[in-house]
Amino acid sequence: MTTARTMAAGVVLLLTAACTAQTPPRAQPSATAAGGSAVCAEPRGNPPPETPTTIDVVEQAYFCILANYYSGATLDARSLLSAGFTAFTQELNRSGRDSPEATMPALTGDREADWAAFEAAYRRVTDRLPDDAHLRERLAEATLQAIVAGLGDDHARWNHGGRRPPASYDGDQYGLGLRASAGPQVSVNPGTALPPLFVTDVLGGPAKAAGLRPGDVVESVNGSAPFIGQAVTPAAVAALYPRYPEAGPVRLRLLRQETGRRWTVTLKPGLYQPDPAAVQVVTSELLQDGIAYVRLSGFAPDVANRVFRAISRMRTGRTLTGVVLDLRGNGGGSPDEANRLLGGFAHGKITAYQCTASLSTGDDACAPMRTDDSVPLLGLPLVVLTDRGCASACEHFSSAVKDLHLGQLVGTRTAGAVSGPARPYLLGDNTTLTFPSTRHLAPGREVIDRVGVAPDHHVPPTPQDAAAGRDPALDEALNLLHK
């Protein structure tokens, strides 16, 4: 029982890697930009090394979004161009190169004409800049990043500058070596975080070397309070999750409540080998009275079969009375794996809808996703543990369990980060743009994105429980199954 009870509700969001790895096949519409820029297409194999981002790449991304994004047919593209030009002028200002020519052109709603006006204004400014390739690239990068962010979509990303740390090996992780009660997704959905901020897991590396423990309350990050009242400070929380090549030291002011000790520690991000038990995709344990406990950290390929095998092993020679699926901190992954796992608890059910906006009607055209009925039914009562780290395919699974009455949810509301399965598109600078081509709706056709899935039994984590190794959400799950 030690393994299960000491797993705190840490939050790790794995959306980018999980969502770009799998999505249903779909015909590729043309995405030729005005002026003849190359179409965007799905990457084939490993792309060549990245080249500098230019306004031509920004153009390609703009028209790629309009042609392939799930609401691209009805999207008001002026919002994207406004966001892009705002970022462009802000980067000019930061560089000390603001210009009287940097004025947003009037936009009419004609997508191609508006792009032509945008590009003309952009080039009027950049043509007068010094011959500084680095500055020009920063301007294009800021513009493109803002256009993607203008979608307001948690599954839309521009992936660039991705590099592995030198001397890293498979299994290595980079960062501070901790998880906290609020994860990096707070920058997308700040309402997911509640005070206090505390350590939930120590994975290894700098955090372990500094003696941090689950339950340690983080009172400040680099001198900033992680919460002001009930409102989170996203930048402070994000500093706990540096990504390579971010290497700046992170100074934490900590409180260990059980002893009253307050101290400051400085952690420098680096490579480390995490505790294997903390990063396994599937872990399982037979609990009291024949209850199977299975923790699932992500919906990776073949994960449903691994869950079924774990339950089958625990069932050998004994009678199981229920299943606890622990999806806390599950950042998502394959919707096909979610449907396959759901097939163990129900057959012939719609688990979600994938929808696209229709230009002719303005309504969504939706295709159902269904349980994988090739899977034998387990025939066991189910309780699912959720938290704000349960995102994407995890929310697909959780909302189906709730809507279809397949079991009960215990813990806290999920992340609200399930806009739709993302697809990757290769751009001319060999970077990738990922965004959903369809929009996710739950089985009852309700929107889960940004809202999350509410648990049937609300059992929030506390630093005191984390410090003591208690797991009240799991205790509540066991109580429900015993009833």
Side-chain angles (χ1 to χ4, degrees), residues 284-345:
S284 60
E285 186 176 353
L286 182 65
L287 305 183
Q288 60 191 29
D289 298 329
I291 294 174
Y293 169 91
V294 183
R295 180 178 181 271
L296 190 58
S297 66
F299 283 90
D302 197 46
V303 78
N305 288 339
R306 293 171 64 181
V307 172
F308 294 140
R309 284 195 294 269
I311 293 173
S312 177
R313 284 194 297 269
M314 287 184 278
R315 208 170 197 172
T316 300
R318 62 178 62 86
T319 299
L320 294 184
T321 59
V323 175
V324 176
L325 283 181
D326 190 345
L327 302 187
R328 292 172 295 184
N330 183 310
S334 168
D336 293 336
E337 290 298 319
N339 287 329
R340 186 164 178 80
L341 187 56
L342 287 163
F345 299 94

Side-chain angles (χ1 to χ4, degrees), residues 148-337:
V148 176
L151 291 170
D153 191 309
D154 49 70
H155 279 52
R157 282 177 176 77
W158 178 42
N159 305 301
H160 67 110
R163 290 178 287 163
R164 289 174 62 88
S168 64
Y169 295 91
D170 290 342
D172 284 351
Q173 292 195 7
Y174 182 87
L176 303 183
L178 61 82
R179 295 174 183 152
S181 56
Q185 81 276 9
V186 296
S187 60
V188 176
N189 193 354
T192 62
L194 293 173
L197 179 68
F198 60 94
V199 175
T200 58
D201 291 281
V202 176
L203 306 178
K208 183 176 181 180
L212 272 63
R213 300 178 189 169
D216 288 345
V217 175
V218 182
E219 295 188 322
S220 73
V221 183
N222 291 332
S224 297
F227 289 90
I228 299 176
Q230 295 292 304
V232 69
T233 308
V237 175
L240 298 179
Y241 305 98
R243 299 176 64 183
Y244 184 80
E246 297 171 10
V250 180
R251 190 176 73 259
L252 304 180
R253 178 70 174 170
L254 299 163
L255 166 65
R256 188 162 289 164
Q257 290 182 324
E258 64 267 32
T259 64
R261 178 193 176 197
R262 277 188 166 88
W263 77 105
T264 299
V265 62
T266 299
L267 306 180
K268 184 171 177 55
L271 284 171
Y272 64 94
Q273 277 284 338
D275 178 358
V279 295
Q280 286 183 355
V281 177
V282 176
T283 56
S284 60
E285 186 176 353
L286 182 65
L287 305 183
Q288 60 191 29
D289 298 329
I291 294 174
Y293 169 91
V294 183
R295 180 178 181 271
L296 190 58
S297 66
F299 283 90
D302 197 46
V303 78
N305 288 339
R306 293 171 64 181
V307 172
F308 294 140
R309 284 195 294 269
I311 293 173
S312 177
R313 284 194 297 269
M314 287 184 278
R315 208 170 197 172
T316 300
R318 62 178 62 86
T319 299
L320 294 184
T321 59
V323 175
V324 176
L325 283 181
D326 190 345
L327 302 187
R328 292 172 295 184
N330 183 310
S334 168
D336 293 336
E337 290 298 319

